[in-house]
Amino acid sequence: MRSASEQTDGPGDGTGGPGGPGGAGERPAPEEHAYPDHWEADIVLRDGGTARVRPITADDADRLVSFYEQVSDESKYYRFFAPYPRLSAKDVHRFTHHDFVDRVGLAATVGGEFIATVRYDRIDDRGRPASAPADEAEVAFLVQDAHQGRGVASALLEHIAAVARERGIRRFAAEVLPANTKMIKVFTDAGYTQKRSFEDGSVRLHLDLEPTDRSLAVQRGREQRAEARSVQRLLAPRSVAVVGAGRAPGGVGRTVLRNLLGAGFTGEAYAVNPALGATADLDGVPAFPSVAAIGAPVDLAVVAVPAERVPEVVADCGEHGVRGLVVLSAGYAESGPEGRERQRALVRQARSYGMRIIGPNAFGIINTADDVRLNASLAPEMPASGRIGLFTQSGAIGIALLAGLHRRGAGLSSFISAGNRADVSGNDFLQHWYDDPATDVVLLYLESIGNPRKFTRLARRTAAVKPVVVVKGARHSGSAPPGHRVPVTRVPHATVSALLRQAGVIRVDTVTELVDAGVLLAGQPLPAGPRVAILGNSESLGLLAYDACLTEGMRPQRPLDLTTAATPADFRDALAAALADDSCDAVVVTAIPWVGVEGTTEVLAASLREAVAGSGAAGAAKPVVVVHVEMGGLAEALSAATSTRPPSTRTRRPAAAPQDPRPPAAGPAEPGAPADPGATAEADAPDAPGAGPAPARNIPAYPAAERAVRALAAAVRYGQWRRQAAEPGRVPEYDSIDEAGAAALIDRVLGERGAGQESRGVTLTADEAGELLGRYGIAVRPALPAPGPDEAAAAAARLGYPVALKTTAPHLRHRPDLGGVRLDLATEEQLRTAYAELTEALGKPEELQPVVQAMAPRGVDTVVRAAIDPAVGAVLSFGLAGAASELLGDTAHRLVPATDRDAAELVRSIRTAPLLFGWRGSAPVDTPALEELLLRVSRLVDDHPEIVSVVLEPAVVAPGGVSVLGAAVRLAPPAPTTDLGPRRLPSY
């Protein structure tokens, strides 16, 4: 069989595929199948623009012909291995009629028109057209020349491979001309297992479509670069049009225009308003009645018109090449169902033109880079340039955060207030900030998380190189804020918070704490440990700091009281000594004002900066925080000469290794670099031999000891996480796992009892659950039914004494406090007596559903759970059994698959963990056996997505082993995941 080839990223970028001259051949007309609308997806391309992927249908004949006419002869030759100037009517029919099973075609579209196509035909082992169970298909691509180099073929390969896997196809075959090196590279770079051969003058490729670690890494790397580029296009436009800027002062559009000009935007600015003449101007910039009338490229449009006029503005922008929109207009999903539909239409319309949207109902965006100076927002003043990236979903909170950071002397690299975040979200900005050289610290105010699984993944990766601090609003409202589209999730907020902490995210509770942590992380190195030195001129304030350190789990040294007679020089000398002391990892300086002495605030600030600057050459840098009482000018004095803006003359340094206790320099300068390289020369310390002076560090000041210590403790925990992340755990392999046997059992149960149970699932019987868990080396002690005393005695004789008698009725299950359990029954007489007492006290046997079970070794009762949530994924949970733990919510959580380190942390992170390690003289239990149990459960649910819930309760951990006394397992057909398929934007 000869397949044709496609042009993707340049001449020679095509794959062989079916159809056309020498193609796979004719087959009967395809049988009608329902249109698979779940295959539709919006994608971000390599250059940051968007396209839509959808199945090709019979209605696409004219689009296909128009698309083919715009493809070069060279691309057609690569596609068909021969000159093929036009498609015949028969070709058009064949390429637009598919059964969506054995023959599938997908198109990438922009503005409703095709820019690329891909299709597969199922074949047998001899290359002839076939149907299931044949599991191989030929694949072919064609990309319009004008869109080559945008990564369209790579994205289409991900989507057609996912479709093929869904239809039972496991391998792709393709023929490519040897000269078509770029198309060959598309396949070889995809990360799939593949074979290559040379036959009859063409390269024959075979791809195994089973995802691999490498294919997933390739996919996520492309996703990061594309989404980061889409954000960069919004943040660094060469030209901006403010649509809706009117002549009257005070309007939203006019305000944004003035803010844009006042910030010193380095690009071209335009005002757009239909009421303006073609020769008018506003605030000194050209004004036009439409974007089309500008007659020059426009990269970004800020839309400030009533919601009913936005569609015509979007069309005007899209048809004239605008790359992105900031929609300030309100009246969308935050206003009710009608507005929600208006918001969906807005996103669909903008994406159809390849544009991305910030908003609607947005406050705007800011980029402080000297070569951009963009203030496309309602913020009247441009923030100082610095190393903090700030994202909010609320304009009001954004204003408060901008003001708070400004008062503390902290500058920003960029700021985004996304409003309803219908398109661009915090995930996109995490992709951008991950490798943004201008950003060292990421601050996020979130009211909802649209894709928790993806957010956790991106946050973990970003946190490995720079701090990510999050405050979550709307935690207890029970629903997302109006206008925010979020997936339905069964996981409680506390669980999501625990998973974010596992990902290295610094979780804080208030916007004040967000600023407190941000200024410390942007201006100070990470502490190497929890040991804290405290010094100052107030014994009482020092004791408050000491108590706060203990509360936060740190190890403070005895406070050093310099007395109220201490001079700024005394502070300098004491701080220098503490920074040189190897027995501490951080320093808290406390200060109260001097009585009757003027001008000491500025002198004290200079003395503290001098001590910090002198410590750099002495050894590893340590963070310093200052607690002051009624010294209002101290914070300003400490930050006056040490803003977080980097000096423009510094060159980029490589990032520090994760185990380095200092935050890595992600760009031209370290956090805390001064605006003027010479302004704080006395505070500079050498970076490394030959590196020149290091930037001064901004020393954060706090009006309360508790706030300073809380921020410092957050940095301590994050630094510990960074050091651990440098040596991640591993997912162990166990020889006693029968994955195939477990899969067969799951398929059998779902086949027999799963029909019509997609929403509720199928609960396994006790025997089925025991068999499934046994396939993974998890033994469940059998419990035999005892509908009467004679049956109970027979069961005990079979199991062997001593035994336990317990009820399994739903209202009594796992409730020993209600008296439904009798333990250590050593004889038949004791068993019969217990049976009589149980039924007399609690009800008839048919109500109690009693069972007999062999006694397990005494130990600590625990509960192990695993659950699948469509938004978060598989979550492994652990806690002690009993009402007290449930009441306190004392449960730890980790994402699946769990590593050996995760399992160890699960066991030790609950508040009742001391009961497992010999509390009050009791014998320590076998925690290695418990950790192995956790890892086996994790492996079970990771291997089999049909398992939606596992509960082992109780799992009794004794000094020598663990016994699982009860197990419940629920199955359901696996739901599509939000973060493991081909790249796609959230859909509307």
Side-chain angles (χ1 to χ4, degrees), residues 39-89:
W39 293 351
E40 296 182 356
D42 293 314
I43 58 173
V44 183
L45 300 176
R46 181 183 301 159
D47 61 358
T50 65
R52 184 161 185 80
V53 174
R54 64 169 178 83
I56 298 174
T57 69
D59 296 333
D60 290 319
D62 291 341
R63 293 186 184 87
L64 181 66
V65 171
S66 175
F67 159 72
Y68 194 77
E69 288 174 349
Q70 299 177 63
V71 175
S72 70
D73 291 339
E74 183 181 38
S75 295
K76 294 172 182 176
Y77 184 87
Y78 280 133
R79 171 63 177 84
F80 293 110
F81 287 20
Y84 211 73
R86 65 185 59 83
L87 297 175
S88 67

Side-chain angles (χ1 to χ4, degrees), residues 440-460:
D440 288 339
V441 179
V442 174
L443 305 184
L444 303 167
Y445 170 78
L446 306 176
E447 292 176 345
S448 62
I449 301 177
N451 187 340
R453 183 198 297 258
K454 181 175 180 179
F455 179 82
T456 301
R457 169 171 62 84
L458 300 185
R460 176 190 290 272

